[in-house]
Amino acid sequence: MQKNAAPPCPFDKRFPSQLVRDDTFYMSLAFNQGIDAWREDEVPIGCVIELGGEVIASAHNRVECTNDPTAHAEMLAITQAASRAGDWRLENATLYVTKEPCPMCSGATLMSRVKRVCYAVPDPKMGCLGGATNLNDLQRVNHHLEITAGGVLEDECRELLQRFFQEKRKGGDSDRSA
Amino acid sequence: MQKNAAPPCPFDKRFPSQLVRDDTFYMSLAFNQGIDAWREDEVPIGCVIELGGEVIASAHNRVECTNDPTAHAEMLAITQAASRAGDWRLENATLYVTKEPCPMCSGATLMSRVKRVCYAVPDPKMGCLGGATNLNDLQRVNHHLEITAGGVLEDECRELLQRFFQEKRKGGDSDRSA
């Protein structure tokens, strides 16, 4: 399959104040990762992980360039964060991601024991933290999350995703998904 | 946390005939990966991926030694298989794993579009391909699996897992899980 060049990204990165470290601050950084993904012709989903007021991981979707179906933003960020924390249990961390996690990534948030997941755009088709189903409701799984579902930069992150797929369809490249 | 040495593994590897490449053949190789995991003091779960009658990936759980909560046998094998296949869509592959996949790995089998998953030991607590829930039943996820749930070396793979945790408890190391 021939790779097309990325369509030009019509969105700008965000530059939030470092002094106000709220959900919008961290989601802005996740959004910026999404922009980086677009520029690399990857589905524009970004993720950052916060621990103790610091960003300990940031990543974006890299499925196409790595040829690896596990290379979603959340997975790459979780691996990074665990490496930084020196422990696979990320018990006090919050994961910010621009779209509700897919089945795999939803599971990874449980297995990595992050304290909270905050996602921007709900996904009723593939999302597994409230959209298509909620894995956090499984009673016997040995960890449960706090979830902030939508409402933080939701419109911006949705527009980034929708516009990417529109541009790809215009370019005749309809086979991408992640 | 101090790492203990692995308790001695009381099980032997299996040496199935190369001439009969049925589910038991491939699951035997997954079982052998589980033995390797035990010897490295990891939860003894193994996985192989078959494509066109050949094993294109084999891996075992490596969460503790890598400090990475995503380093489950299935995840490592899927990454390997996609690299070998040169495509993240593993559409004609079968994934063999000694225990029903967790939420993350169940999701990964969907995202990687493997044709079939064959697991040895059902897991009503954490399994998400029929045990605690079945992610394959989500109607709008864009791929569905054939599933062989239990029955292939089920007793052997269960005994390997149960005995590992018994030995770890004897050794006073009760904090491991994956």
Side-chain angles (χ1 to χ4, degrees):
Chain A
M1 183 180 64
Q2 198 178 352
K3 301 256 178 185
N4 295 347
C9 181
F11 301 101
D12 292 322
K13 289 194 176 181
R14 298 174 62 89
F15 296 93
S17 166
Q18 296 282 340
L19 300 178
V20 184
R21 299 207 164 198
D22 55 7
D23 282 354
T24 304
F25 172 82
Y26 295 108
M27 194 64 82
S28 294
L29 302 185
F31 176 88
N32 289 351
Q33 284 288 323
I35 300 260
D36 284 335
W38 179 317
R39 292 172 179 171
E40 297 174 23
D41 208 18
E42 299 277 357
V43 173
I45 297 172
C47 178
V48 304
I49 297 178
E50 172 272 339
L51 180 68
E54 298 294 334
V55 173
I56 63 166
S58 53
H60 60 73
N61 184 32
R62 302 190 71 217
V63 167
E64 298 296 338
C65 71
T66 59
N67 249 337
D68 184 347
T70 76
H72 284 198
E74 302 94 313
M75 303 302 294
L76 300 175
I78 286 170
T79 295
Q80 236 180 71
S83 172
R84 171 68 179 273
D87 193 337
W88 63 261
R89 302 161 196 82
L90 297 171
E91 281 163 358
N92 293 305
T94 296
L95 182 147
Y96 294 85
V97 61
T98 56
K99 191 191 76 69
E100 182 179 352
C102 79
M104 169 178 69
C105 295
S106 297
T109 65
L110 288 165
M111 302 315 290
S112 61
R113 304 189 189 178
V114 297
K115 181 180 180 188
R116 185 164 71 102
V117 172
C118 176
Y119 61 79
V121 184
D123 181 356
K125 182 167 175 270
M126 300 281 280
C128 287
L129 293 180
T133 188
N134 195 340
L135 292 174
N136 198 41
D137 289 341
L138 297 175
Q139 291 303 314
R140 298 179 66 193
V141 168
N142 58 9
H143 179 70
H144 290 94
L145 310 160
E146 298 168 26
I147 299 176
T148 303
V152 180
L153 292 187
E154 182 174 335
D155 291 343
E156 291 82 349
C157 293
R158 179 182 291 112
E159 200 180 354
L160 182 65
L161 268 170
Q162 289 182 339
R163 186 72 174 270
F164 179 78
F165 287 115
Q166 284 165 10
E167 296 293 330
K168 295 302 282 184
R169 279 192 294 268
K170 275 190 215 166
D173 182 1
S174 61
D175 190 37
R176 301 296 173 87
S177 69
Chain B
M1 183 180 65
Q2 198 179 354
K3 300 256 178 185
N4 295 346
C9 181
F11 301 101
D12 293 322
K13 289 194 176 181
R14 298 174 62 90
F15 296 93
S17 166
Q18 296 282 340
L19 300 178
V20 184
R21 299 209 163 197
D22 55 7
D23 283 354
T24 304
F25 172 82
Y26 295 109
M27 192 64 81
S28 294
L29 302 185
F31 175 88
N32 289 352
Q33 284 288 323
I35 300 260
D36 284 337
W38 179 316
R39 290 172 179 171
E40 295 174 24
D41 208 19
E42 299 278 356
V43 174
I45 297 173
C47 178
V48 305
I49 297 178
E50 172 273 338
L51 180 67
E54 298 294 334
V55 173
I56 62 165
S58 54
H60 61 73
N61 183 33
R62 300 190 72 217
V63 168
E64 298 295 338
C65 72
T66 58
N67 249 337
D68 184 347
T70 76
H72 284 198
E74 300 94 315
M75 304 301 294
L76 300 175
I78 286 169
T79 296
Q80 236 179 71
S83 173
R84 171 68 179 273
D87 193 336
W88 63 261
R89 301 160 194 84
L90 298 170
E91 283 164 357
N92 292 305
T94 296
L95 182 148
Y96 294 85
V97 61
T98 55
K99 191 191 75 69
E100 182 179 351
C102 80
M104 168 178 70
C105 295
S106 297
T109 63
L110 287 166
M111 304 313 291
S112 62
R113 305 189 189 177
V114 297
K115 181 179 179 187
R116 184 164 72 101
V117 172
C118 176
Y119 60 79
V121 184
D123 180 357
K125 181 168 175 269
M126 301 281 280
C128 288
L129 292 181
T133 188
N134 195 340
L135 292 174
N136 198 41
D137 289 341
L138 296 175
Q139 290 303 313
R140 296 179 67 195
V141 168
N142 59 8
H143 179 70
H144 291 93
L145 310 160
E146 298 169 26
I147 299 177
T148 304
V152 179
L153 292 188
E154 181 174 335
D155 292 343
E156 291 82 349
C157 293
R158 178 182 291 111
E159 200 180 355
L160 181 66
L161 269 169
Q162 288 182 339
R163 186 70 175 270
F164 179 78
F165 286 115
Q166 284 165 8
E167 296 293 329
K168 294 302 283 184
R169 279 192 294 269
K170 275 190 215 166
D173 182 1
S174 61
D175 190 38
R176 301 295 174 89
S177 69

